[in-house]
Amino acid sequence: RLSHCALASTSAMLSRQIARSARSAANSTKNLKLRSVQASARVSCRPVTTVARWSGVAASPAYTPRSRCAIAFPQARNFSSEAPPLFEKILIANRGEIACRIARTAKKMGIKTVAVYSDADSRAVHVKECDEAIYIGGSPAIESYLDIDRIVEAMKVSGATAVHPGYGFLSENASFVERLEKEGLTFIGPKTLAIQSMGDKIESKTIAMNAGVSTIPGQLGLIEDEAGAVKVSKEIGYPVMIKASAGGGGKGMRVAHNDTEAAEGFRLAKAEAAASFGDDRIFIEKFVDRPRHIEIQIIADSHGNCIYLPERECSIQRRNQKVIEEAPSPFIDEVTWRKMGEQACALAKAVKYQSAGTVEMMVDGDKNFYFLEMNTRLQVEHPVTELVTGLDLVELMIKVAAGEKLPIKQENIKACGWAMESRIYAEDSLRSFLPSVGVLHRYVPPVNHEGVRIDTGVEEGSDISIFYDPMIAKLITYGKDREEAIGRMKKALDEYVIKGVVSNINFVRDVMDNDRFISGDLTTHFIDQEYPAPGFRGHLLTESEGKELSGIAAMLYMQHFQQAKVYLSTSGSKVAGKDTVGSAALLSVMSTDTIISKKELIVTMEGTVGEPVQKKVQIACHRPELGDVYSTSFDISIDGAAPITFSARLPANSGLYAATTSDSATKVEKTQTVQLVERTNAGYVLSMSGTPYKITVWTERLEQLSKIMIKKEATDRSNELRTPMPGKVHSIAVTEGEEVLAGQEMCVVEAMKMQNVLRSPKDGVVKKIHPQIGQNLNLEDLIMEFD
């Protein structure tokens, strides 16, 4: 039975739904098939409470970056009172985390938001984050997020008068901006002139030179073919950087050290550029030695004002794509920063720039800097700048687009504290960072931590598809200095639970422990130098880590062993005639002894690199606390050493297991969080510091018997080439019956907008080629067989 209030509420809801249906029916008569609906009414699922928001930073009252700064930056205006919003409604022409992030600021400013989505994104988080959502086409970006006509039509259908492009897709498309101007719509970004001139790498370099900006020596003319690329590379002198004229985000870029790499790099860069930007023009320039990738965030308005913000260090890259960023840089001093900032603003003024933009520089070991490119959009790594300045860059972009003056002056800009960002990708760090696809069947980000911000556009159940960038989230930490920012990053990475796809958390967590990284000695060669071929293979357990992990595994084993007794029905405690706990468990709880049981165990730990590590563990279980039926404290001796007290409660539903060790001899107490990834027949898969380890926990007798058990032999696939990632066959370089050499190019698989070369695993003859060019492949699909 419904109350009168409930009936009235239901009636009102039905009326609104009927009204929306009528509007939708009217819209369906348009040539372009668009659906405009209220996201909350269309998508039926649980509310998003822990993702797609600034977790920890915005939510924690203890974390207020503005209060750490020497100046007070202007806050967002309160549009809920007398002042109308700058725009009534904006459309966000993007997806994922950046769409969610833009929507948050718009909501704060009192502006309604419209999401757009493709077939693959029909249940995406950004659709639910916005006030309205409009369907714009198929899953491939060219059929949806890159379709200018559909975006413009969506704006007309929804009544949005402005569009924020985020980054990628149409964010640096001059034709899109021109179309919006013709339609009388506002682009929240720079004008056409700036996008066109800075979007062309050759023209931008010429403008930079004329504006007095330092530039890298190179060939300004376009390269027509592989022979031309080799010729120009020789003239400049190896190594060289082969770059797409319209490129960005690491796509369409290759480093060449010889003629063969120059020819191959030209071909692959040209193909990536055509696929990503629809423009395959290529140029070549000198590759700088000991280079750091440093960028300057600028903001300019339509009133002639331009300011530059603290620099960002973006040198940790793989395949020319950033992985870890920070602000400020541990290398750049104030004098160098100001020189870079002044040149960045000079370049911005040369193209009458309006909005937020980034001037990227290459800096050598002597702090000489050279112009790389200008990104005329919001950068992926903009959060680190926001945290050290207290500014909301999206808010400033919206204000500038509305014609307002910048509310701050250059003399007020100062970096306060330190911020660091790790890009969490769905990719396999152990397989050269190849992309991973699948469903996030478990996703628990580290929320409510002081100084931690998470920008994400996924939730539990989200699909990571082959159609878009594999980014899951951006994990950002803030501290009073670099050491604290790194410490908070380590803790957050340890507590980040992702299951269903492979992620790069193991890699970024390993970088955080790298001595060279901790010292700030960075270059863009960092990954290649610190993780040389065959590349990152996982973390090698140190002696102290092995002892700690074996103790944690033994403690977890004993807790599960005790927990099993709870459900034994052998004359245990009874309530209403039903067994509640087994007698053995009951006796343990009621025992007067401090130590209720002891056991000797053999713990074997196997990672992805190095030999298995084995420890002999003697464990003594303390009496359970009142109200518990299993021990939470243990005295553990490893390999005959003095006992150390380990304590923990059973893992949470997320699998997080926080273990505290207390050494009475050294008076040192430490808490280490591991993840229970999986329980196996012989033990566990535990993840510590981002790396999973297969762990067996046996009694000494079982360990001896295991040595005579028959081992299952691995399948021999040495005569096969299989795809290491889902994708589409872009090209095949050999034919059946052709003799090939180990390392020779066999084919190119396109995955998530990147061209991936697959090479022959051995010398031999191609026996059979299975797929055709253009065919879609699943993970581990057979591509070729060899004799």
Side-chain angles (χ1 to χ4, degrees):
R1 289 178 296 178
L2 295 175
S3 66
H4 292 296
C5 291
L7 287 170
S9 175
T10 303
S11 177
M13 181 183 69
L14 290 173
S15 298
R16 288 195 298 271
Q17 289 178 335
I18 292 170
R20 283 196 296 272
S21 299
R23 288 196 299 272
S24 179
N27 291 333
S28 66
T29 60
K30 294 183 177 290
N31 294 330
L32 181 65
K33 185 181 179 182
L34 298 170
R35 302 196 298 272
S36 178
V37 296
Q38 292 292 331
S40 59
R42 190 185 53 75
V43 182
S44 176
C45 58
R46 61 180 177 80
V48 183
T49 57
T50 61
V51 296
R53 287 174 169 80
W54 287 345
S55 302
V57 169
S60 173
Y63 181 77
T64 52
R66 280 188 175 82
S67 67
R68 298 179 184 270
C69 298
I71 57 173
F73 292 106
Q75 301 287 327
R77 291 187 292 175
N78 183 2
F79 292 99
S80 62
S81 56
E82 72 285 348
L86 299 177
F87 298 102
E88 183 68 29
K89 184 186 294 184
I90 66 172
L91 182 139
I92 304 171
N94 216 298
R95 63 178 300 279
E97 64 86 13
I98 190 60
C100 296
R101 186 262 170 276
I102 294 167
R104 286 193 297 271
T105 288
K107 186 178 298 184
K108 178 184 70 175
M109 298 177 71
I111 301 172
K112 294 180 180 179
T113 54
V114 181
V116 292
Y117 65 94
S118 66
D119 286 332
D121 283 338
S122 61
R123 294 181 62 84
V125 172
H126 77 274
V127 173
K128 293 173 275 186
E129 193 83 358
C130 294
D131 299 298
E132 300 175 46
I134 295 181
Y135 170 78
I136 55 171
S139 298
I142 196 68
E143 298 176 14
S144 48
Y145 298 105
L146 287 173
D147 192 314
I148 294 176
D149 290 337
R150 290 172 183 257
I151 298 295
V152 172
E153 187 65 22
M155 294 184 71
K156 293 179 179 179
V157 168
S158 64
T161 57
V163 58
H164 197 303
Y167 55 76
F169 296 132
L170 296 174
S171 62
E172 295 178 285
N173 189 307
S175 298
F176 179 48
V177 181
E178 288 179 339
R179 173 69 181 279
L180 292 172
E181 291 173 350
K182 290 179 182 178
E183 298 284 351
L185 301 170
T186 300
F187 179 73
I188 302 175
K191 301 299 181 183
T192 306
L193 170 65
I195 295 177
Q196 286 179 331
S197 55
M198 292 295 100
D200 188 303
K201 299 301 181 290
I202 297 173
E203 183 181 352
S204 66
K205 190 170 182 179
T206 302
I207 294 173
M209 292 172 64
N210 294 335
V213 180
S214 302
T215 57
I216 301 173
Q219 168 70 26
L220 288 180
L222 293 174
I223 314 299
E224 297 296 333
D225 52 31
E226 293 181 25
V230 172
K231 181 176 181 294
V232 169
S233 298
K234 285 182 174 180
E235 292 172 354
I236 296 173
Y238 293 109
V240 297
M241 175 67 82
I242 302 169
K243 301 175 72 173
S245 180
K251 296 179 177 64
M253 296 175 64
R254 289 292 190 280
V255 177
H257 296 84
N258 52 52
D259 293 354
T260 301
E261 291 182 0
E264 181 182 274
F266 173 83
R267 174 170 52 82
L268 294 174
K270 193 176 182 69
E272 281 183 4
S276 298
F277 316 112
D279 184 344
D280 64 357
R281 294 176 298 154
I282 299 294
F283 73 103
I284 299 176
E285 63 187 15
K286 182 67 177 176
F287 188 65
V288 177
D289 188 35
R290 293 184 298 159
R292 284 177 179 259
H293 188 117
I294 308 291
E295 56 190 34
I296 301 294
Q297 176 76 59
I298 63 101
I299 310 171
D301 61 24
S302 58
H303 302 276
N305 302 305
C306 182
I307 60 172
Y308 56 91
L309 303 180
E311 79 282 355
R312 295 190 289 254
E313 172 82 60
C314 307
S315 298
I316 307 298
Q317 305 179 4
R318 53 100 178 97
R319 295 199 300 264
N320 296 308
Q321 284 191 312
K322 302 159 192 170
V323 180
I324 299 171
E325 303 99 344
E326 57 186 302
S329 166
F331 181 67
I332 300 298
D333 54 49
E334 184 171 354
V335 172
T336 307
W337 165 57
R338 293 204 178 277
K339 287 180 180 177
M340 296 173 73
E342 288 164 3
Q343 289 194 17
C345 283
L347 178 60
K349 291 178 179 178
V351 294
K352 299 179 174 58
Y353 199 87
Q354 301 174 28
S355 193
T358 297
V359 177
E360 300 193 346
M361 304 277 196
M362 191 68 77
V363 183
D364 66 21
D366 298 319
K367 296 183 180 177
N368 299 308
F369 56 88
Y370 308 95
F371 170 74
L372 281 177
E373 63 182 2
M374 183 176 189
N375 290 318
T376 56
R377 54 171 168 78
L378 189 66
Q379 290 282 83
V380 176
E381 58 273 17
H382 75 274
V384 295
T385 298
E386 292 184 323
L387 293 188
V388 298
T389 62
L391 295 170
D392 185 329
L393 295 181
V394 173
E395 178 185 337
L396 290 175
M397 291 179 74
I398 294 173
K399 287 183 175 181
V400 168
E404 290 197 356
K405 288 184 178 182
L406 288 175
I408 49 177
K409 297 185 179 298
Q410 187 63 56
E411 55 265 28
N412 293 330
I413 301 302
K414 178 182 178 182
C416 304
W418 211 283
M420 190 164 291
E421 174 180 289
S422 293
R423 300 190 187 188
I424 309 302
Y425 285 110
E427 61 184 18
D428 193 344
S429 308
L430 303 179
R431 304 175 74 179
S432 301
F433 303 101
L434 293 174
S436 173
V437 299
V439 176
L440 294 172
H441 62 74
R442 198 78 173 106
Y443 182 72
V444 186
V447 298
N448 299 325
H449 286 51
E450 182 180 5
V452 174
R453 163 176 164 176
I454 301 170
D455 283 14
T456 186
V458 301
E459 63 182 346
E460 214 161 87
S462 290
D463 181 47
I464 307 297
S465 75
I466 65 171
F467 298 104
Y468 312 115
D469 187 271
M471 183 184 289
I472 295 173
K474 298 182 309 197
L475 176 60
I476 314 103
T477 57
Y478 177 88
K480 63 180 181 296
D481 52 30
R482 191 168 187 264
E483 182 180 1
E484 185 172 65
I486 291 175
R488 287 176 172 174
M489 180 65 72
K490 289 180 181 180
K491 180 173 171 51
L493 288 168
D494 288 346
E495 299 183 18
Y496 211 133
V497 179
I498 297 175
K499 296 181 181 180
V501 299
V502 180
S503 80
N504 68 332
I505 284 180
N506 57 345
F507 175 73
V508 292
R509 180 61 178 83
D510 197 73
V511 171
M512 292 296 146
D513 278 332
N514 183 281
D515 291 338
R516 182 177 159 191
F517 176 80
I518 292 171
S519 71
D521 179 18
L522 313 177
T523 74
T524 55
H525 305 316
F526 178 90
I527 292 178
D528 292 335
Q529 292 171 347
E530 294 299 303
Y531 305 96
F536 177 68
R537 286 296 175 264
H539 179 72
L540 183 63
L541 278 175
T542 64
E543 177 66 18
S544 61
E545 290 170 339
K547 289 180 178 179
E548 184 176 26
L549 184 58
S550 64
I552 291 173
M555 175 170 59
L556 181 59
Y557 170 86
M558 289 305 299
Q559 287 181 323
H560 281 147
F561 182 78
Q562 292 176 338
Q563 187 186 40
K565 295 181 179 180
V566 172
Y567 303 104
L568 297 178
S569 58
T570 55
S571 64
S573 175
K574 293 180 178 291
V575 175
K578 295 183 178 180
D579 295 315
T580 55
V581 295
S583 57
L586 187 62
L587 289 173
S588 296
V589 175
M590 300 177 64
S591 173
T592 58
D593 297 328
T594 302
I595 302 299
I596 60 171
S597 65
K598 294 181 179 180
K599 215 173 189 68
E600 289 191 0
L601 301 170
I602 303 297
V603 179
T604 305
M605 299 156 286
E606 184 178 359
T608 55
V609 62
E611 295 297 319
V613 177
Q614 191 172 85
K615 298 292 180 183
K616 187 172 183 179
V617 179
Q618 294 176 316
I619 182 167
C621 308
H622 288 213
R623 184 178 62 248
E625 298 290 336
L626 186 63
D628 288 334
V629 291
Y630 65 88
S631 300
T632 56
S633 184
F634 303 81
D635 290 336
I636 297 179
S637 172
I638 299 169
D639 288 341
I644 296 175
T645 301
F646 282 66
S647 58
R649 302 198 67 81
L650 279 170
N653 289 335
S654 62
L656 294 178
Y657 188 51
T660 300
T661 58
S662 180
D663 190 334
S664 58
T666 61
K667 306 298 183 184
V668 174
E669 185 171 291
K670 175 187 175 184
T671 297
Q672 173 70 56
T673 299
V674 302
Q675 293 185 25
L676 173 57
V677 179
E678 181 184 356
R679 290 185 70 172
T680 65
N681 290 334
Y684 309 97
V685 176
L686 294 180
S687 175
M688 186 170 81
S689 299
T691 297
Y693 298 92
K694 296 178 181 177
I695 299 176
T696 58
V697 184
W698 279 329
T699 62
E700 192 167 356
R701 175 60 176 161
L702 285 176
E703 198 275 333
Q704 291 172 350
L705 292 174
S706 71
K707 295 177 180 179
I708 59 175
M709 293 177 66
I710 298 175
K711 300 290 191 299
K712 182 179 180 181
E713 294 185 3
T715 304
D716 181 14
R717 291 186 171 178
S718 60
N719 290 324
E720 300 175 349
L721 177 66
R722 292 177 177 268
T723 177
M725 86 292 281
K728 183 171 69 175
V729 179
H730 179 268
S731 63
I732 297 176
V734 295
T735 58
E736 291 181 359
E738 182 176 338
E739 291 188 10
V740 296
L741 300 175
Q744 180 177 333
E745 179 182 330
M746 296 287 99
C747 63
V748 175
V749 175
E750 182 177 333
M752 295 177 175
K753 301 183 284 186
M754 296 294 291
Q755 308 290 323
N756 302 279
V757 178
L758 303 188
R759 303 183 184 278
S760 174
K762 59 185 293 185
D763 295 348
V765 177
V766 179
K767 177 182 178 181
K768 177 71 174 176
I769 299 175
H770 290 270
Q772 303 292 323
I773 293 177
Q775 182 175 329
N776 288 324
L777 301 173
N778 294 316
L779 178 66
E780 293 294 333
D781 274 359
L782 182 61
I783 298 177
M784 296 181 191
E785 296 178 72
F786 302 92
D787 280 330

